[in-house]
């Protein structure tokens, strides 16, 4: 078995599970063979060469045990993660391990003669402990001077058990080298008895396991870090969902606004979460009866995901409702929303469309901020409303927003949506849609639903049609759709 791998060897590709299982089986068979040879060696004499061989057998078994454990970890893989992954910088990088040459350069031997108080060290042990090979080796009484204060009782107990009770030594402790470097050393040894059975000397093999333990700690810390990240993501997701549910309209299914009168709107809406991210986005829809009997319709999208974005969406939606209830027209309302977003501590961008419907005249006044324009369906055909000028919320300080008007007719259907409703590969980027009033294949997919909308009896039936056509597709972002149908 080679003692080390060449640094020039090309990196191998990660093995599959079957390959890892085969390596584990081979490792365990090899462990059995080495253990059998080691037991045979134990029955032989106490010659120093034989003791060295037995120590190497013990070392090989330790190495194979470590390899077995690492292969098992490789087979199991990292712990499962259900949230969107955080940036790479959030996980502590693993420092490159310093090179130490061959395996034998990390293993040294020593023997301490209790009768003469002499010590004999191999050259490798001087290297491990950072001692000058020309200097005399340390005696058992001097050895603890290299050891961490908190580890000295462990070393003392191992040596005492070995000398007094003839127990084998098998344990670890940390040492401080003269250059200030800290190393973890694994020590294995046993007493050497004289003719009358008393302890004459103690021999030991010391192995530098610093990098192995450092890598084990790194694996453990990374696993713990991933677990903490998962817990934080689960908590953030729960808070975002609760906040979103508290802010979005409480009604489900159909709604009629205003509640009284023949010229009301039949309303229905639906929120579609992202299929590729566990985090909640900043999409919203809203329908609200105003103090003067008009109806407010709006949809919007604050960029990003998570609790901060959801709380920002709640702030915008609350401000929009309050200003609309005070009688603010859509164009002015967008300007003030832009000022509000521009003044927030954390910069953000958002898009929105806001409509104010007067039931008595069936007039629709609306404005948009970098958002897909509403779609109007009439008599089995659909078209995109001509969009007034309006940039993204938060993009430019002091931006002005134009306002457009449209007179609706009985039976007309108005569809408002956020741009995540249609998979992006079907349509144009947001900026292109805003400039063109929502053109592109994405909008055509919705306009093609016009004949089916004509056959639908309610706004809720129309929402179901949209979901049947688009709801099953994998989407990268959250989305929502709001449909308002003018009563016949």
């Amino acid at each position: 078995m080679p003692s080390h791998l060449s640094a020039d060897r090309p990196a191998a590709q990660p093995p599959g599970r079957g390959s890892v299982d085969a390596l584990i089986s081979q490792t365990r068979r090899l462990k059995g063979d080495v253990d059998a040879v080691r037991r045979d060696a134990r029955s032989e004499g106490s010659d120093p060469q034989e003791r060295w061989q037995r120590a190497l057998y013990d070392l090989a078994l330790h190495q194979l045990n470590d390899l077995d454990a690492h292969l098992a970890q490789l087979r199991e893989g990292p712990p499962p993660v259900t949230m969107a992954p955080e940036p790479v910088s959030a996980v502590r990088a693993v420092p490159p391990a310093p090179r130490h040459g061959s395996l034998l350069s990390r293993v040294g031997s020593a023997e301490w003669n209790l009768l003469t108080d002499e010590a004999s060290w191999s050259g490798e042990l001087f290297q491990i402990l950072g001692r000058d090979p020309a200097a005399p080796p340390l005696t058992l009484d001097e050895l603890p001077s290299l050891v961490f204060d908190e580890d000295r009782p462990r070393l003392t107990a191992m040596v005492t058990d070995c000398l007094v009770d003839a127990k084998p030594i098998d344990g670890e402790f940390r040492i401080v080298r003269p250059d200030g470097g800290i190393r973890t050393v694994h020590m294995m040894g046993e007493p050497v008895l004289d003719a009358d059975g008393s302890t004459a000397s103690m021999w030991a093999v010391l192995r530098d396991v610093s990098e192995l333990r450092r890598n084990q700690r790194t694996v453990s810390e990374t696993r713990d870090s991933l677990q903490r990240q998962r817990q934080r993501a689960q908590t953030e997701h729960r808070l975002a969902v609760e906040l979103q549910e508290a802010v979005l309209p409480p009604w489900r299914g159909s709604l009629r606004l205003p509640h009284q009168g023949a010229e009301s709107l039949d309303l229905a809406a639906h929120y579609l979460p992202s299929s590729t991210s566990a985090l909640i986005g900043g999409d919203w829809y809203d329908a609200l009866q105003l103090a003067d009997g008009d109806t407010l319709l709006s949809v919007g999208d604050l960029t990003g995901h998570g609790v901060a974005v959801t709380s920002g969406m709640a702030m915008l939606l609350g401000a929009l409702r309050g200003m609309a209830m005070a009688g603010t027209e859509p164009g002015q309302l967008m300007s003030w929303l832009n000022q509000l977003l521009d003044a927030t501590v954390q910069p953000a961008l958002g898009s929105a469309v806001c409509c104010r419907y007067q039931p008595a005249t069936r007039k629709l006044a609306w404005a948009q901020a970098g958002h897909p324009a509403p779609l109007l369906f009439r008599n089995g055909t659909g078209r995109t409303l001509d969009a007034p000028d309006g940039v993204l919320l938060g993009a430019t300080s002091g931006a002005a927003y134009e306002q457009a008007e449209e007179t609706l007719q009985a039976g007309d259907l108005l569809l408002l949506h956020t741009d995540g409703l249609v998979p992006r590969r079907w349509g144009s980027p947001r900026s292109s849609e805003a400039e063109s009033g929502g053109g592109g294949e994405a909008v055509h997919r919705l306009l093609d639903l016009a004949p089916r909308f004509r056959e639908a009896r309610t706004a809720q039936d129309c929402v179901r049609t949209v979901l049947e056509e688009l709801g099953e597709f994998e989407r990268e972002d959250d989305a929502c759709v709001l449909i308002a149908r003018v009563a016949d």
Side-chain angles (χ1 to χ4, degrees), residues 414-452:
L414 195 68
L415 187 152
L416 284 67
H417 68 94
T418 57
D419 61 1
L421 180 64
V422 181
R424 189 166 298 174
R425 63 182 179 276
W426 287 353
S428 306
R430 172 184 289 179
S431 59
S432 299
E433 289 189 358
E435 293 171 2
S436 64
E441 186 180 353
V443 171
H444 288 312
R445 292 296 295 256
L446 293 170
L447 295 176
D448 288 344
L449 299 178
R452 297 175 63 181

Side-chain angles (χ1 to χ4, degrees), residues 13-31:
Q13 295 298 319
R17 185 180 180 91
S19 300
V20 175
D21 288 337
L23 288 173
I24 291 175
S25 298
Q26 294 174 13
T27 300
R28 291 176 180 174
R29 284 197 299 270
L30 185 56
K31 283 168 57 180

